[in-house]
Amino acid sequence: MTELERVDQAVEYFRRYDQKSSAIKQNRENQEYLKTYIHDEDYVVKNFQLTTKRAKALGISAGAGLVLFLLVYFITKIIIAAIVLGAFALIGISVFSVCLQHYRLTAAKQKQVEINEGITEQIEILKAREPQLIQDKENFRAGIEKRVPFISVDDRKYIGEIRKMIESGDAATAEDAAAMLEQKLPELVCFDLKTNELRPLTAFNEA
């Protein structure tokens, strides 16, 4: 395998590693997105606009009662009968509207409960999936560290610089390119979890 092929292989490993990182991020974002569809009863009541609907129903009832009152009065000329029938229409339609809106509100609350339960179940599935995604990522990282000794996963953004040095002939091997890059970029360091300090990239390669 040529040095450029080694670099290309490292690029592909890093690409797949980034995909695994993105999968974890996407999994968490999906959980947060699903949570936006979980609402309590107060939210349902507020969005149902019960007061507005009742006021509208009352207006319709009053209009229907008035129409019936006028119709009966002009036909029979009996004001008492007109008042009774008009009042009956007003009360009857009002009671029916209130009962109907109450039924619809109850149905809306129950539907939201079912939605919440379904979403909660989906969130739990995503949460349960996350440890496996993280473990896959860490296992893949460990594999990269064994297969790509000349640059760490954390410094993968510099892989393009290593390729340029090999292509230009400035470095014969990927390891040489990494050493040269370290001299050009003093900031190219890694955090050593064992010693809790920053160390040059080559220190990890030599280890």
Side-chain angles (χ1 to χ4, degrees):
M1 181 180 294
T2 66
E3 292 304 305
L4 285 178
E5 287 174 342
R6 291 180 66 201
V7 172
D8 288 339
Q9 185 182 63
V11 169
E12 176 60 19
Y13 285 148
F14 293 149
R15 184 187 68 80
R16 291 166 59 187
Y17 178 80
D18 288 335
Q19 285 182 335
K20 292 182 180 296
S21 297
S22 296
I24 296 173
K25 180 181 178 181
Q26 186 63 54
N27 188 64
R28 292 172 179 171
E29 289 178 349
N30 289 342
Q31 293 178 49
E32 295 303 315
Y33 177 73
L34 287 173
K35 289 178 182 178
T36 63
Y37 288 94
I38 296 179
H39 303 297
D40 57 18
E41 188 173 293
D42 291 338
Y43 175 89
V44 177
V45 173
K46 180 180 179 181
N47 283 271
F48 190 76
Q49 298 181 332
L50 183 61
T51 301
T52 301
K53 291 181 179 180
R54 283 180 175 175
K56 182 178 180 181
L58 182 60
I60 294 174
S61 301
L66 179 60
V67 170
L68 184 59
F69 167 79
L70 294 174
L71 182 62
V72 172
Y73 178 73
F74 282 120
I75 293 175
T76 65
K77 301 298 181 180
I78 302 175
I79 192 169
I80 295 178
I83 293 175
V84 170
L85 291 175
F88 178 79
L90 173 62
I91 296 173
I93 295 176
S94 297
V95 171
F96 174 78
S97 298
V98 169
C99 292
L100 179 61
Q101 296 304 328
H102 177 74
Y103 170 79
R104 289 178 176 175
L105 177 57
T106 301
K109 290 179 181 179
Q110 181 58 37
K111 182 178 180 181
Q112 186 62 54
V113 169
E114 294 173 357
I115 290 174
N116 290 350
E117 291 176 350
I119 292 176
T120 299
E121 182 178 349
Q122 291 298 317
I123 292 175
E124 291 303 319
I125 292 174
L126 293 176
K127 284 184 178 180
R129 182 187 175 200
E130 185 167 319
Q132 184 60 50
L133 291 175
I134 295 175
Q135 187 61 53
D136 289 345
K137 174 187 172 182
E138 294 305 315
N139 290 343
F140 193 75
R141 181 189 180 101
I144 293 177
E145 292 173 349
K146 293 179 180 179
R147 294 181 176 87
V148 183
F150 56 87
I151 188 171
S152 71
V153 175
D154 294 331
D155 294 316
R156 59 189 180 279
K157 64 182 179 181
Y158 297 108
I159 191 69
E161 297 297 325
I162 291 178
R163 164 180 276 282
K164 289 179 182 178
M165 290 180 183
I166 295 175
E167 289 177 335
S168 65
D170 292 338
T173 66
E175 283 77 9
D176 291 342
M180 294 173 61
L181 184 61
E182 182 188 345
Q183 295 177 354
K184 291 183 178 181
L185 301 173
E187 72 274 13
L188 185 57
V189 294
C190 297
F191 187 75
D192 192 337
L193 295 177
K194 295 181 180 179
T195 61
N196 291 326
E197 60 184 8
L198 293 174
R199 299 176 60 195
L201 175 64
T202 53
F204 288 88
N205 295 335
E206 293 170 358

